Amino acid sequence: MASRTSLINTINTNYWMLQHMEMPAVIRRRTRLSPEARREQLMQCAIEVFSKRGLGRAGHAEIAQLAQVSVATVFNYFSNRELLVDHVLVQIEDFFSHMVRKNFIDINEQQSKSPHQAIHDYLADFVDAAINNPQFTYIWLEWSSAIREDTWPRYLALLDNNIAIISDKIAPAIASGEINTYLTTTEFARSLSNQGYMILQLVNQPQAMDREGIIAFLEKYVTSALAKAER
């Protein structure tokens, strides 16, 4: 009887131990990305960090924290802060240059847009960027309004290039009288390029209009400069 009691006690003890035993921790292996995929991941994290921290404050450590990698890994791809800023600005340049080229350069005869349609589509694309890609527009906003010695000349080069592309599209319409305006071609192109500031305000105000309302308002505002009064 004593042996049976001892056996039962042993079984109960072992059962209790099994119930309370800590299971071995599962070893989670960090996903190994290809160099190209890792660079892309880090650049996406950089865009996110720079949009929040700004061109003058964002750095490798914050990117590493967001990407969940070591700081050394970030330095392996972007060896210094100047190189990191350069790569971020390349992304912003490409994003907004593409927006202008897409709407103001005619690829072929079948895809030719009227100047008014090009203006409408450009404004719509910028509104969509402010809504769907706010990180890009926030970086653009700071870059275009902060006269930093290291980045300001580069922004002016981007602006001048975009103004030239818009002017090439608008100039023939002004010359033919299709568009009547008190502004010169360059003045109007500059005015259109600067609508990004108003777009960001309209999109981010507490009680913002819907997308279509914002585009309609902007088009009225911008094209009011294209309605020179008849004498």
Side-chain angles (χ1 to χ4, degrees):
M1 185 71 178
S3 298
R4 181 181 178 186
T5 301
S6 177
L7 178 60
I8 292 174
N9 288 338
T10 300
I11 292 174
N12 288 338
T13 300
N14 290 339
Y15 179 72
W16 184 92
M17 292 177 64
L18 285 172
Q19 283 187 313
H20 293 80
M21 183 182 300
E22 291 187 5
M23 299 300 293
V26 177
I27 300 176
R28 298 184 181 274
R29 295 184 180 275
R30 182 175 296 172
T31 302
R32 185 178 295 277
L33 300 177
S34 68
E36 295 77 13
R38 179 67 73 191
R39 178 180 291 274
E40 176 64 23
Q41 179 213 23
L42 294 178
M43 184 48 55
Q44 290 177 1
C45 291
I47 295 294
E48 179 72 26
V49 170
F50 271 75
S51 71
K52 294 178 179 178
R53 295 283 293 159
L55 292 171
R57 290 173 293 178
H60 291 67
E62 294 143 319
I63 296 169
Q65 182 178 14
L66 183 61
Q68 296 186 332
V69 298
S70 68
V71 176
T73 297
V74 183
F75 271 101
N76 186 49
Y77 286 88
F78 309 103
S79 57
N80 55 60
R81 195 172 184 284
E82 289 73 19
L83 185 63
L84 177 61
V85 172
D86 175 70
H87 278 75
V88 169
L89 292 184
V90 165
Q91 298 294 312
I92 306 305
E93 287 170 332
D94 289 347
F95 186 84
F96 288 99
S97 292
H98 172 73
M99 190 186 302
V100 171
R101 293 194 305 270
K102 170 188 171 185
N103 291 299
F104 291 99
I105 295 180
D106 293 333
I107 299 175
N108 54 51
E109 292 293 333
Q110 287 71 34
Q111 294 185 352
S112 179
K113 292 182 181 181
S114 71
H116 287 283
Q117 186 64 49
I119 292 168
H120 170 87
D121 292 349
Y122 171 73
L123 293 172
D125 281 352
F126 211 124
V127 171
D128 288 339
I131 295 172
N132 302 319
N133 294 285
Q135 296 87 354
F136 283 80
T137 55
Y138 294 160
I139 296 173
W140 170 86
L141 177 63
E142 184 200 357
W143 186 23
S144 65
S145 58
I147 306 177
R148 297 170 55 87
E149 182 179 357
D150 53 340
T151 59
W152 180 242
R154 185 168 177 172
Y155 171 74
L156 292 180
L158 172 65
L159 178 62
D160 288 344
N161 183 66
N162 288 346
I163 288 174
I165 292 173
I166 296 171
S167 296
D168 286 343
K169 178 69 175 181
I170 301 299
I174 292 178
S176 67
E178 178 185 349
I179 290 178
N180 293 316
T181 176
Y182 287 114
L183 300 176
T184 67
T185 300
T186 301
E187 287 171 344
F188 177 76
R190 185 177 297 277
S191 173
L192 183 60
S193 297
N194 290 334
Q195 293 308 307
Y197 303 107
M198 182 177 292
I199 289 172
L200 288 173
Q201 290 178 358
L202 292 172
V203 168
N204 291 290
Q205 63 185 358
Q207 295 180 335
M209 293 182 284
D210 61 20
R211 173 184 180 272
E212 296 304 324
I214 293 174
I215 295 172
F217 169 79
L218 288 166
E219 191 168 15
K220 290 178 183 178
Y221 180 82
V222 170
T223 56
S224 64
L226 302 181
K228 184 167 68 175
E230 297 293 338
R231 293 188 177 225

